[in-house]
Amino acid sequence: MVRPYAAKWLKKRRKRDPSAAASDAEDGKGGNGEDAEDQTEEEVEEKKRKKKQEGERGAGVVAEGREEESPNGSLPAHVLPGLPLEKTPDEEAKPGVIFILEKASLNVGKVGKKENILNADDHANYLRKQCRDPAEFRPDILHQAMLAILDSPLNKAGRLQGLYVKSDDGELIDVKPHVRLPRTFKRFCGLMYQLKCKKNIHATGNREKLFRMIKNPVTQHLPVNSRKIGFSYSSDKLVHLRDYVAAVGDDATLVFVVGAMAHGKIDADYTDDCISVSNYPLSAACCIARICNVLEQRWNIL
Ligand SMILES: C[S@@+](CC[C@H](N)C(=O)[O-])C[C@H]1O[C@@H](n2cnc3c(N)ncnc32)[C@H](O)[C@@H]1O
């Protein structure tokens, strides 16, 4: 039997911090489950709600449940342990960044009996039969790009204000910075398939929407004083990103627009500038790692 997702993590937490064990017991998460049995489900839910309202941080609200795969190979959505769900006033005042990933390949197709997100490796024959170029179907680029953003120390330090994904068929997805993305590609595709079908995905154990389809254009979701910077290898404006970011300063919210597709250029007509940051064509993930690294150094995030 699969071990409950939260159990492994809770065991580690209790080892590190014995007081956490006491608070977990209060929540009915005690190892033998006796406390939970003494309370009705509503009481347990009510306690959880109260704790959340009191400003409990991410570490205490890891989605509970099992790491089970759904029929299409997806995982339930989780929040990242340790990441703040809501920012403190102090964190709110610190400058942050927003990422927009453009032209992400998220196309659903029915191959055999199963519908799934199409990709160049597993569905090449199917795509060729449909007279479509498999090279265009690269959800793996989006997966890697999202991992580069969400796993970055920049995000862990609470500086990621927003992450938006624009699919090549024009849909816009809002991704919460504290989401825990599936690590494997198969599970990622399963999750994206669920999202395409249901239009949003909740955290397990609470009602927060971790992924949701939102209305275009993306600009209506950006702060007023944002500086929207498009990235392209083919831009004539080759810059040292560190100097470029320093010149913009911390007054405006930086919005980085990076392509999540294999070929072509982002058509981000809403950007204020379009820059190249290297003499070489980079992968989206490498480009994002460079952006995160520059900001982590600037804001002294180790
Ligand atoms: C796999 S590349 C797409 C390739 C596409 N031929 C291009 O250069 O735009 C993914 C994204 O990384 C970014 N990128 C790649 N190399 C870059 C560079 N040297 N400077 C700035 N952005 C770059 C662009 O946003 C690009 O859309």
Side-chain angles (χ1 to χ4, degrees):
M1 210 169 95
V2 189
R3 182 189 223 172
Y5 173 76
K8 203 170 162 185
W9 171 81
L10 281 170
K11 209 171 166 187
K12 276 190 197 156
R13 181 174 166 227
R14 282 194 206 110
K15 235 187 217 171
R16 272 203 311 272
D17 177 10
S19 65
S23 92
D24 290 343
E26 251 177 59
D27 270 358
K29 291 181 199 157
N32 55 15
E34 278 167 20
D35 297 316
E37 277 167 25
D38 289 345
Q39 299 170 34
T40 64
E41 255 179 46
E42 286 95 312
E43 279 170 342
V44 174
E45 280 302 312
E46 182 57 28
K47 272 195 173 176
K48 275 187 199 161
R49 251 198 308 277
K50 269 189 192 156
K51 252 196 164 175
K52 198 178 163 203
Q53 279 165 1
E54 281 160 16
E56 190 190 35
R57 312 278 290 184
V61 276
V62 170
E64 289 163 285
R66 290 165 185 275
E67 193 163 344
E68 279 171 350
E69 284 190 27
S70 74
N72 49 35
S74 73
L75 269 182
H78 297 305
V79 290
L80 265 176
L83 259 192
L85 288 179
E86 278 156 31
K87 289 198 167 81
T88 61
D90 182 39
E91 282 165 345
E92 209 71 74
K94 288 180 181 167
V97 291
I98 293 173
F99 278 93
I100 301 173
L101 299 175
E102 282 275 344
K103 290 192 176 177
S105 168
L106 287 174
N107 299 281
V108 173
K110 193 171 182 182
V111 188
K113 286 182 185 162
K114 230 171 138 189
E115 275 203 328
N116 209 335
I117 298 286
L118 297 170
N119 76 75
D121 289 329
D122 300 326
H123 311 123
N125 289 338
Y126 167 86
L127 289 165
R128 278 192 210 102
K129 274 184 205 156
Q130 304 258 322
C131 300
R132 291 155 98 183
D133 180 5
E136 306 272 303
F137 294 78
R138 297 288 308 277
D140 54 304
I141 298 179
L142 175 66
H143 185 217
Q144 287 173 13
M146 288 177 77
L147 285 175
I149 297 169
L150 296 169
D151 283 354
S152 67
L154 186 75
N155 182 28
K156 292 181 181 178
R159 298 300 191 98
L160 181 64
Q161 277 182 12
L163 169 56
Y164 299 96
V165 175
K166 248 177 118 174
S167 66
D168 53 7
D169 56 3
E171 285 184 309
L172 182 61
I173 303 162
D174 176 17
V175 182
K176 288 280 178 290
H178 48 269
V179 72
R180 185 182 182 279
L181 206 65
R183 322 305 292 171
T184 68
F185 178 61
K186 186 182 164 201
R187 288 175 179 178
F188 171 74
C189 285
L191 194 73
M192 290 300 108
Y193 173 71
Q194 270 183 33
L195 177 63
K196 291 281 269 187
C197 297
K198 295 184 186 166
K199 305 296 173 203
N200 53 58
I201 292 174
H202 292 265
T204 40
N206 75 46
R207 312 203 109 255
E208 192 198 8
K209 288 174 184 170
L210 297 176
F211 299 83
R212 64 192 177 111
M213 296 282 192
I214 54 172
K215 280 194 180 148
N216 276 300
V218 67
T219 43
Q220 69 178 312
H221 306 284
L222 303 177
V224 182
N225 67 334
S226 54
R227 170 99 178 156
K228 301 170 272 301
I229 307 156
F231 278 65
S232 176
Y233 168 61
S234 55
S235 166
D236 294 333
K237 191 169 175 181
L238 179 62
V239 301
H240 280 280
L241 189 58
R242 192 188 52 192
D243 301 340
Y244 183 88
V245 164
V248 173
D250 285 338
D251 292 336
T253 303
L254 295 166
V255 179
F256 295 105
V257 186
V258 178
M261 68 293 189
H263 305 289
K265 216 181 145 195
I266 51 167
D267 28 60
D269 46 358
Y270 57 87
T271 55
D272 300 309
D273 207 352
C274 184
I275 59 170
S276 173
V277 290
S278 170
N279 277 317
Y280 304 97
L282 308 174
S283 66
C286 177
C287 195
I288 288 162
R290 190 168 270 215
I291 298 169
C292 291
N293 196 263
V294 161
L295 293 173
E296 284 153 13
Q297 295 206 5
R298 177 170 175 76
W299 293 332
N300 208 15
I301 297 164
L302 297 178

CSV table of all heavy atoms in Angstrom, one decimal, residues 271-299:
chain,number,residue,atom,x,y,z
A,271,THR,N,4.8,43.6,-24.4
A,271,THR,CA,6.0,43.9,-23.7
A,271,THR,C,6.6,45.3,-23.9
A,271,THR,O,6.3,45.9,-24.9
A,271,THR,CB,7.1,42.8,-24.0
A,271,THR,OG1,7.3,42.9,-25.4
A,271,THR,CG2,6.7,41.4,-23.6
A,272,ASP,N,7.3,45.8,-22.9
A,272,ASP,CA,7.9,47.1,-23.0
A,272,ASP,C,9.3,47.0,-23.7
A,272,ASP,O,9.8,48.0,-24.2
A,272,ASP,CB,8.1,47.7,-21.6
A,272,ASP,CG,6.8,47.8,-20.8
A,272,ASP,OD1,5.9,48.4,-21.4
A,272,ASP,OD2,6.7,47.3,-19.7
A,273,ASP,N,9.9,45.8,-23.7
A,273,ASP,CA,11.2,45.7,-24.3
A,273,ASP,C,11.4,44.3,-24.7
A,273,ASP,O,10.7,43.4,-24.2
A,273,ASP,CB,12.2,46.1,-23.2
A,273,ASP,CG,13.5,46.6,-23.8
A,273,ASP,OD1,13.7,46.5,-25.0
A,273,ASP,OD2,14.4,47.0,-23.0
A,274,CYS,N,12.3,44.0,-25.6
A,274,CYS,CA,12.6,42.6,-25.9
A,274,CYS,C,14.2,42.5,-26.0
A,274,CYS,O,14.8,43.2,-26.7
A,274,CYS,CB,12.1,42.3,-27.3
A,274,CYS,SG,12.3,40.6,-27.8
A,275,ILE,N,14.7,41.6,-25.1
A,275,ILE,CA,16.1,41.5,-25.0
A,275,ILE,C,16.7,40.1,-25.2
A,275,ILE,O,15.9,39.1,-25.1
A,275,ILE,CB,16.6,42.0,-23.5
A,275,ILE,CG1,15.9,41.1,-22.5
A,275,ILE,CG2,16.3,43.4,-23.3
A,275,ILE,CD1,16.5,41.3,-21.1
A,276,SER,N,17.9,40.0,-25.5
A,276,SER,CA,18.6,38.8,-25.6
A,276,SER,C,19.7,38.8,-24.5
A,276,SER,O,20.3,39.8,-24.2
A,276,SER,CB,19.3,38.6,-26.9
A,276,SER,OG,20.1,37.5,-26.9
A,277,VAL,N,19.9,37.7,-23.8
A,277,VAL,CA,20.7,37.7,-22.6
A,277,VAL,C,22.0,36.8,-22.8
A,277,VAL,O,22.8,36.6,-21.9
A,277,VAL,CB,20.0,37.2,-21.3
A,277,VAL,CG1,19.0,38.3,-20.9
A,277,VAL,CG2,19.3,35.9,-21.5
A,278,SER,N,22.1,36.3,-24.0
A,278,SER,CA,23.3,35.4,-24.3
A,278,SER,C,23.6,35.4,-25.8
A,278,SER,O,22.7,35.7,-26.6
A,278,SER,CB,23.0,34.0,-23.8
A,278,SER,OG,24.0,33.1,-24.2
A,279,ASN,N,24.8,35.1,-26.1
A,279,ASN,CA,25.2,34.9,-27.5
A,279,ASN,C,24.7,33.6,-28.1
A,279,ASN,O,24.9,33.3,-29.2
A,279,ASN,CB,26.7,35.0,-27.6
A,279,ASN,CG,27.2,36.4,-27.7
A,279,ASN,OD1,26.7,37.2,-28.4
A,279,ASN,ND2,28.3,36.7,-27.0
A,280,TYR,N,24.1,32.8,-27.2
A,280,TYR,CA,23.7,31.4,-27.6
A,280,TYR,C,22.2,31.3,-27.4
A,280,TYR,O,21.6,31.9,-26.5
A,280,TYR,CB,24.4,30.4,-26.7
A,280,TYR,CG,25.9,30.6,-26.8
A,280,TYR,CD1,26.6,31.3,-25.8
A,280,TYR,CD2,26.7,30.1,-27.9
A,280,TYR,CE1,28.0,31.5,-25.9
A,280,TYR,CE2,28.0,30.3,-28.0
A,280,TYR,CZ,28.7,31.0,-27.0
A,280,TYR,OH,30.0,31.2,-27.0
A,281,PRO,N,21.6,30.4,-28.3
A,281,PRO,CA,20.2,30.1,-28.0
A,281,PRO,C,20.1,29.2,-26.8
A,281,PRO,O,20.7,28.2,-26.8
A,281,PRO,CB,19.8,29.4,-29.3
A,281,PRO,CG,21.0,28.9,-29.9
A,281,PRO,CD,22.1,29.7,-29.5
A,282,LEU,N,19.3,29.7,-25.9
A,282,LEU,CA,19.2,28.9,-24.6
A,282,LEU,C,17.9,28.1,-24.6
A,282,LEU,O,16.9,28.5,-25.2
A,282,LEU,CB,19.3,29.9,-23.4
A,282,LEU,CG,20.4,30.8,-23.4
A,282,LEU,CD1,20.2,31.8,-22.2
A,282,LEU,CD2,21.8,30.1,-23.2
A,283,SER,N,17.8,27.1,-23.7
A,283,SER,CA,16.5,26.5,-23.5
A,283,SER,C,15.8,27.5,-22.5
A,283,SER,O,16.4,28.3,-21.9
A,283,SER,CB,16.7,25.2,-22.8
A,283,SER,OG,17.3,25.4,-21.5
A,284,ALA,N,14.5,27.3,-22.5
A,284,ALA,CA,13.7,28.2,-21.6
A,284,ALA,C,14.1,28.0,-20.2
A,284,ALA,O,14.2,29.0,-19.5
A,284,ALA,CB,12.2,27.8,-21.8
A,285,ALA,N,14.4,26.8,-19.8
A,285,ALA,CA,14.7,26.5,-18.4
A,285,ALA,C,16.1,27.2,-18.0
A,285,ALA,O,16.2,27.8,-16.9
A,285,ALA,CB,14.8,25.0,-18.1
A,286,CYS,N,17.0,27.2,-19.0
A,286,CYS,CA,18.3,27.8,-18.8
A,286,CYS,C,18.2,29.3,-18.7
A,286,CYS,O,18.8,30.0,-17.8
A,286,CYS,CB,19.2,27.4,-19.9
A,286,CYS,SG,20.9,28.1,-19.8
A,287,CYS,N,17.3,29.8,-19.5
A,287,CYS,CA,17.1,31.3,-19.5
A,287,CYS,C,16.5,31.7,-18.2
A,287,CYS,O,16.9,32.7,-17.6
A,287,CYS,CB,16.1,31.5,-20.7
A,287,CYS,SG,16.0,33.2,-21.1
A,288,ILE,N,15.5,30.9,-17.7
A,288,ILE,CA,14.8,31.2,-16.4
A,288,ILE,C,15.8,31.1,-15.3
A,288,ILE,O,15.8,31.9,-14.4
A,288,ILE,CB,13.6,30.3,-16.2
A,288,ILE,CG1,12.5,30.7,-17.2
A,288,ILE,CG2,13.1,30.3,-14.8
A,288,ILE,CD1,11.5,29.6,-17.4
A,289,ALA,N,16.7,30.1,-15.3
A,289,ALA,CA,17.7,29.9,-14.3
A,289,ALA,C,18.6,31.1,-14.2
A,289,ALA,O,19.0,31.6,-13.1
A,289,ALA,CB,18.5,28.7,-14.5
A,290,ARG,N,18.9,31.7,-15.4
A,290,ARG,CA,19.8,32.9,-15.4
A,290,ARG,C,19.0,34.1,-14.8
A,290,ARG,O,19.6,34.8,-14.0
A,290,ARG,CB,20.1,33.2,-16.9
A,290,ARG,CG,21.1,34.2,-17.0
A,290,ARG,CD,21.6,34.3,-18.5
A,290,ARG,NE,22.8,33.4,-18.6
A,290,ARG,CZ,23.8,33.7,-19.5
A,290,ARG,NH1,23.8,34.8,-20.2
A,290,ARG,NH2,24.8,32.8,-19.6
A,291,ILE,N,17.8,34.2,-15.1
A,291,ILE,CA,17.0,35.3,-14.5
A,291,ILE,C,16.9,35.2,-13.0
A,291,ILE,O,17.2,36.2,-12.3
A,291,ILE,CB,15.5,35.3,-15.1
A,291,ILE,CG1,15.5,35.6,-16.6
A,291,ILE,CG2,14.7,36.4,-14.4
A,291,ILE,CD1,14.2,35.3,-17.3
A,292,CYS,N,16.6,34.0,-12.5
A,292,CYS,CA,16.4,33.8,-11.1
A,292,CYS,C,17.8,34.0,-10.4
A,292,CYS,O,17.8,34.7,-9.3
A,292,CYS,CB,16.0,32.3,-10.8
A,292,CYS,SG,14.3,32.0,-11.3
A,293,ASN,N,18.8,33.6,-11.0
A,293,ASN,CA,20.2,33.7,-10.4
A,293,ASN,C,20.5,35.2,-10.3
A,293,ASN,O,21.0,35.6,-9.2
A,293,ASN,CB,21.2,33.0,-11.3
A,293,ASN,CG,22.5,32.8,-10.6
A,293,ASN,OD1,23.4,33.6,-10.8
A,293,ASN,ND2,22.5,31.8,-9.7
A,294,VAL,N,20.3,36.0,-11.3
A,294,VAL,CA,20.6,37.4,-11.2
A,294,VAL,C,19.8,38.1,-10.1
A,294,VAL,O,20.3,38.9,-9.3
A,294,VAL,CB,20.3,38.1,-12.6
A,294,VAL,CG1,20.1,39.6,-12.5
A,294,VAL,CG2,21.3,37.7,-13.6
A,295,LEU,N,18.5,37.7,-10.0
A,295,LEU,CA,17.7,38.4,-8.9
A,295,LEU,C,18.0,37.9,-7.5
A,295,LEU,O,18.0,38.7,-6.6
A,295,LEU,CB,16.2,38.1,-9.2
A,295,LEU,CG,15.7,38.8,-10.5
A,295,LEU,CD1,14.3,38.4,-10.8
A,295,LEU,CD2,15.8,40.3,-10.3
A,296,GLU,N,18.4,36.6,-7.5
A,296,GLU,CA,18.8,36.1,-6.1
A,296,GLU,C,20.1,36.8,-5.7
A,296,GLU,O,20.2,37.2,-4.5
A,296,GLU,CB,19.1,34.6,-6.2
A,296,GLU,CG,17.8,33.8,-6.3
A,296,GLU,CD,17.9,32.4,-7.0
A,296,GLU,OE1,19.1,32.0,-7.2
A,296,GLU,OE2,16.9,31.8,-7.3
A,297,GLN,N,21.0,37.1,-6.6
A,297,GLN,CA,22.2,37.8,-6.2
A,297,GLN,C,21.9,39.3,-5.8
A,297,GLN,O,22.4,39.8,-4.9
A,297,GLN,CB,23.2,37.8,-7.4
A,297,GLN,CG,23.7,36.4,-7.6
A,297,GLN,CD,25.0,36.3,-8.3
A,297,GLN,OE1,25.7,37.3,-8.5
A,297,GLN,NE2,25.4,35.1,-8.6
A,298,ARG,N,21.0,39.9,-6.6
A,298,ARG,CA,20.6,41.2,-6.4
A,298,ARG,C,19.9,41.4,-5.0
A,298,ARG,O,20.2,42.4,-4.3
A,298,ARG,CB,19.7,41.7,-7.5
A,298,ARG,CG,19.2,43.1,-7.3
A,298,ARG,CD,18.5,43.6,-8.6
A,298,ARG,NE,17.9,44.9,-8.4
A,298,ARG,CZ,18.5,46.0,-8.3
A,298,ARG,NH1,19.8,46.0,-8.5
A,298,ARG,NH2,17.9,47.2,-8.1
A,299,TRP,N,19.1,40.5,-4.7
A,299,TRP,CA,18.3,40.6,-3.4
A,299,TRP,C,18.9,39.7,-2.3
A,299,TRP,O,18.3,39.5,-1.3
A,299,TRP,CB,16.9,40.2,-3.7
A,299,TRP,CG,16.2,41.1,-4.6
A,299,TRP,CD1,16.4,42.5,-4.8
A,299,TRP,CD2,15.1,40.9,-5.5
A,299,TRP,NE1,15.6,43.0,-5.7
A,299,TRP,CE2,14.7,42.1,-6.2
A,299,TRP,CE3,14.3,39.7,-5.8
A,299,TRP,CZ2,13.7,42.2,-7.1
A,299,TRP,CZ3,13.3,39.8,-6.8
A,299,TRP,CH2,13.0,41.0,-7.4
